[in-house]
Structure formats: C-alpha cells, structure tokens
Amino acid sequence: MVISTSPEDVVEPPPVEAIAALFDLTLAEQKVLASILEGRNQAETATHLGIADSTVKTHLGRIFSKTNTASQAELAQLAERLSVKAGTRA
C-alpha cells in the first residue's frame, strides 16, 4: 500500500469547516451545508438528516444570507473556491 503525502494531495481547509468559520454558521446549518455539498437536494437533505423539509429550507435561507449566496449552486462554487490546495494561492 502506498500513501501519498505530497502537498498536492492535501486540501486545506475543508469547505464546510471553512465556510462555517468564515460565516459563523450554526452546527445545524453546517450539517445542512455538508449534505448539500455532498450532492443532495433539499428533500434528500431533510430525509438524510431526519428533519422537516421546511427546516432545511429555513437553514438554507440563513446560510444563503450569511454567505451572500442565492442558490445551492453558488454555495458549491463558494466551497470550491475555499478548497485551495495546500501550497497554492487563491
């Protein structure tokens, strides 16, 4: 087994943690964000987290407000921008 430890393989910071720290997301908002970034839609996120669809909608609205985004696609773009590989500059 070969484990690569080159800087190119290390991604810092994790998108959800970075966004949470930068935009003061609550734990519940972080869970919703993580689920969305894993590719789930609003209904799938509700089922995955065991909460009501309306609760996911509320959390998404707060996440959009805090991150100055307006859609799940924009959140994904934000996460991608924050996933800067170690040793590179954004």
Side-chain angles (χ1 to χ4, degrees), residues 24-70:
D24 196 30
L25 300 184
T26 66
L27 181 57
E29 291 165 348
Q30 290 178 54
K31 289 178 181 179
V32 169
L33 177 61
S35 183
I36 295 298
L37 293 179
E38 289 170 358
R40 293 182 187 90
N41 64 27
Q42 186 173 317
E44 293 166 337
T45 293
T47 300
H48 175 72
L49 296 177
I51 58 178
D53 191 60
S54 60
T55 302
V56 173
K57 184 176 180 177
T58 298
H59 288 314
L60 276 174
R62 291 182 182 150
I63 294 167
F64 293 154
S65 178
K66 289 179 178 183
T67 60
N68 197 30
T69 58

Side-chain angles (χ1 to χ4, degrees), residues 10-22 30 33 37 78-80 82-84:
V10 179
V11 176
E12 295 284 339
V16 173
E17 292 175 12
I19 293 170
L22 289 171
Q30 290 178 54
L33 177 61
L37 293 179
L78 177 64
E80 187 175 325
L82 294 174
S83 294
V84 178

